[in-house]
Amino acid sequence: MTTTHVIENVPKGLHIGGSWQPAASGRTMPVDNPATDTTLCRVADASPEDGQRALAAAVTAQQDWARTAPRERSEILRRAHEIILARTEELALLMTLEMGKPLAEARGEVAYAAEFFRWFSEEAVRIDGGYATSPDGRNRHLVLRQPVGPCLLITPWNFPLAMGTRKIGPAVAAGCTMVLKPAPQTPLSTLALTAILGEAGLPPGVLNTVTTSDAAALVAPLLRGGGIRKLSFTGSTQVGRTLLAQCADTVVRTSLELGGNAPFIVFDDADLDAAVDGAMVAKMRNMGEACTAANRIFVHTSVAEEFATRLTARMSALTVGDGTTSGTDVGPLIDAAGRAKVERLVRDAVERGAKILTGGELPAGEGNFYPPTVLAQVPRDAELTGTEIFGPVAALFPFDDEDDVVRAANDTEWGLVSYVFTRDLDRALRVGERLETGMVGLNTGLVSNPAAPFGGVKQSGLGREGGRVGIEEFLEYKYLAVPTGS
Ligand code: NAP
């Protein structure tokens, strides 16, 4: 499978009402490769009018789609799951080209993304209801679940395939139609996914995909218009706040998967090999460009030096390069602005007293590469303690006391995930309960799983994706009151 072939195979238009079409204005926008700073291809650049046409298609398709048999919706997802897996190599290469992650990681994301469709194909046929007599005996209560209605799905660039399936899966299972707007840096994975759903039998108008370089202009009128009944957004907390405010005007139901600032805590009794393995996953998955990335690594002072030595050995052994080249462990960051932010945060930490154990130097040449970097003895007032680093930089903070580290871990507006490494079960559970995050990894650096409720508290979001509750976000309760006649 060559690069040219993979790129050529992807539709480049807007997908509205079941057909591929150019933007009404004829405008297109570039898709760049962050490893080479070159343009891979161009895709349609939708205007607000195109957005309105996509919404109209979703609204038109909603009633019929809601009436399809759950088994039919389930089978569509199941078929799409199988097609995705059969095209793993193609989809992985596409993702690496537009996003930068190494091929091995891209293959992992393809499997993870496909699994959401399998999970929700199983959930589609388990939507239940209730039948009860009211306490006073006068009414029967028939409780049913109905799709919330047309949904607006907005996804980020860092997991371009999985963030799509994590939203499309439950929406299809519940019987909702959709307008999907992917991130402009990574539209190709989403366009390929849209085509796959068509092949799997998704009816016209159910999924309408619009790529645009002006998200704010396209999305605000969609939320104002009243046709959208649900927003499911994954992205930064800053944009999440803006969209939440826009949703308030028309009382649109909202799920938000936002930024994180994960604490990763290594106690003195931790299995250090396991802790280093966990830190490598929690820090380096996706080059550190993950909402779940370990942003602040707190290590007990009695093991701080040993942990730092072992982590530094692992980080400095990684190979940085183009993700399509075999042997690459760390690909480029998404763009120049992302890399400049990482560089600024490292410089700030060093100016405040942090020590660079490896990395920290910008490489020369093309691409947005940043080397795996370990910073030791980072002071707690460094800017990166309150900012998503979103890069391959492990920031180590020493601590002595359990209460102090829990307080420091919770001292952030975010609350997505935390990680705790200790051999003491009682401490693991006690600390796990005290951490103000929606998810806690106990002796593991990976919490993402389609069968688990993914999501955060505080300003990391509202609602959950995946697990048994994932489909709930796309369903409304309705109850029919029927007099018993007694
Ligand atoms: P972002 O800048 O917030 O963008 C996310 C999406 O929102 C993009 O499609 C973007 O399109 C769109 N957008 C931006 N402004 C908008 C507006 N005013 N109206 C409508 N749409 C708008 O985030 P990102 O840089 O793509 O992704 C990284 C962020 O996502 C990080 O904060 C990360 O933690 C978070 N994230 C969270 C999770 C989770 O599950 N909690 C998962 C992955 C990523 P444009 O780029 O065209 O503006």
Side-chain angles (χ1 to χ4, degrees):
M1 187 72 49
T2 67
T3 299
T4 317
H5 182 71
V6 162
I7 301 282
E8 272 173 3
N9 262 356
V10 182
K12 313 290 187 307
L14 310 175
H15 187 69
I16 299 179
S19 75
W20 292 99
Q21 42 193 277
S25 66
R27 282 208 333 255
T28 60
M29 60 184 196
V31 185
D32 295 334
N33 179 341
T36 58
D37 299 329
T38 55
T39 296
L40 294 165
C41 63
R42 300 185 72 87
V43 298
D45 186 359
S47 64
E49 292 69 36
D50 295 315
Q52 292 297 337
R53 288 192 300 116
L55 172 59
V59 169
T60 304
Q62 179 59 61
Q63 275 210 353
D64 282 351
W65 178 236
R67 277 198 296 266
T68 52
R71 180 66 74 198
E72 202 177 318
R73 302 198 299 270
S74 166
E75 291 297 318
I76 292 168
L77 287 175
R78 182 71 191 195
R79 281 195 292 274
H81 161 80
E82 279 158 15
I83 300 171
I84 292 172
L85 290 185
R87 300 213 185 128
T88 296
E89 286 308 310
E90 199 175 325
L91 290 167
L93 179 54
L94 195 61
M95 201 188 308
T96 295
L97 287 169
E98 66 176 349
M99 190 272 163
K101 70 181 74 185
L103 270 177
E105 281 201 53
R107 287 187 193 108
E109 182 174 340
V110 173
Y112 175 54
E115 196 56 28
F116 281 105
F117 279 179
R118 178 156 66 170
W119 175 263
F120 285 108
S121 78
E122 291 156 352
E123 292 296 282
V125 291
R126 312 253 185 276
I127 300 169
D128 57 11
Y131 187 114
T133 306
S134 63
D136 62 11
R138 292 197 188 136
N139 278 302
R140 295 185 187 90
H141 292 169
L142 278 64
V143 180
L144 59 143
R145 319 294 304 280
Q146 293 184 314
V148 61
C151 300
L152 176 59
L153 315 178
I154 302 179
T155 53
W157 50 263
N158 61 345
F159 292 95
L161 202 63
M163 296 303 96
T165 59
R166 202 165 79 171
K167 296 182 188 310
I168 296 167
V172 167
C176 295
T177 60
M178 298 154 273
V179 174
L180 169 61
K181 193 217 78 68
Q185 297 92 332
T186 56
L188 301 178
S189 300
T190 305
L191 293 168
L193 180 62
T194 303
I196 285 173
L197 280 154
E199 273 180 60
L202 197 70
V206 175
L207 175 62
N208 304 280
T209 302
V210 283
T211 48
T212 181
S213 62
D214 193 348
L218 184 135
V219 163
L222 293 186
L223 290 173
R224 256 199 319 268
I228 292 291
R229 294 312 320 145
K230 158 97 192 172
L231 168 74
S232 179
F233 169 77
T234 298
S236 62
T237 297
Q238 192 189 353
V239 173
R241 284 188 201 109
T242 303
L243 292 172
L244 187 58
Q246 290 176 6
C247 285
D249 287 342
T250 40
V251 194
V252 170
R253 237 177 106 177
T254 312
S255 298
L256 303 174
E257 294 288 347
L258 308 178
N261 183 6
F264 184 105
I265 305 172
V266 183
F267 283 101
D268 48 358
D269 64 347
D271 173 340
L272 275 199
D273 285 332
V276 171
D277 284 348
M280 289 302 291
V281 174
K283 181 72 255 179
M284 293 307 290
R285 182 172 175 229
N286 226 36
M287 292 83 73
E289 294 173 318
C291 53
T292 49
N295 211 56
R296 297 165 295 154
I297 302 178
F298 295 101
V299 189
H300 194 272
T301 43
S302 66
V303 292
E305 208 174 315
E306 181 60 23
F307 180 88
T309 304
R310 293 195 205 179
L311 185 69
T312 302
R314 294 278 296 274
M315 291 283 273
S316 52
L318 296 173
T319 304
V320 181
D322 188 323
T324 59
T325 310
S326 91
T328 293
D329 301 305
V330 185
L333 298 182
I334 188 69
D335 52 27
R339 182 168 83 154
K341 175 185 166 188
V342 172
E343 197 198 0
R344 190 192 79 233
L345 291 173
V346 169
R347 222 180 313 113
D348 169 80
V350 170
E351 277 165 19
R352 291 172 198 260
K355 306 270 175 291
I356 297 182
L357 302 187
T358 185
E361 288 277 322
L362 270 191
E366 65 184 15
N368 303 306
F369 296 99
Y370 194 87
T373 297
V374 178
L375 300 175
Q377 293 163 39
V378 180
R380 290 191 187 173
D381 65 352
E383 195 189 335
L384 58 74
T385 59
T387 310
E388 283 187 290
I389 303 171
F390 247 55
V393 176
L396 309 185
F397 301 77
F399 78 91
D400 284 307
D401 171 69
E402 181 178 311
D403 282 340
D404 169 57
V405 78
V406 169
R407 226 180 355 261
N410 287 337
D411 185 17
T412 166
E413 74 212 36
W414 284 293
L416 188 62
V417 60
S418 45
Y419 306 91
V420 179
F421 280 75
T422 173
R423 286 193 172 98
D424 178 341
L425 178 62
D426 188 43
R427 172 148 69 187
L429 298 178
R430 184 173 66 235
V431 172
E433 287 166 8
R434 291 177 70 193
L435 288 168
E436 296 168 354
T437 55
M439 302 173 287
V440 181
L442 295 178
N443 296 318
T444 175
L446 184 69
V447 295
S448 308
N449 190 305
F454 188 103
V457 299
K458 295 159 82 176
Q459 294 193 39
S460 283
L462 298 171
R464 294 292 180 269
E465 289 188 326
R468 298 303 311 275
V469 299
I471 194 168
E472 304 275 332
E473 304 276 342
F474 292 85
L475 291 168
E476 289 284 15
Y477 278 98
K478 179 183 278 182
Y479 100 90
L480 308 182
V482 185
T484 55
S486 60

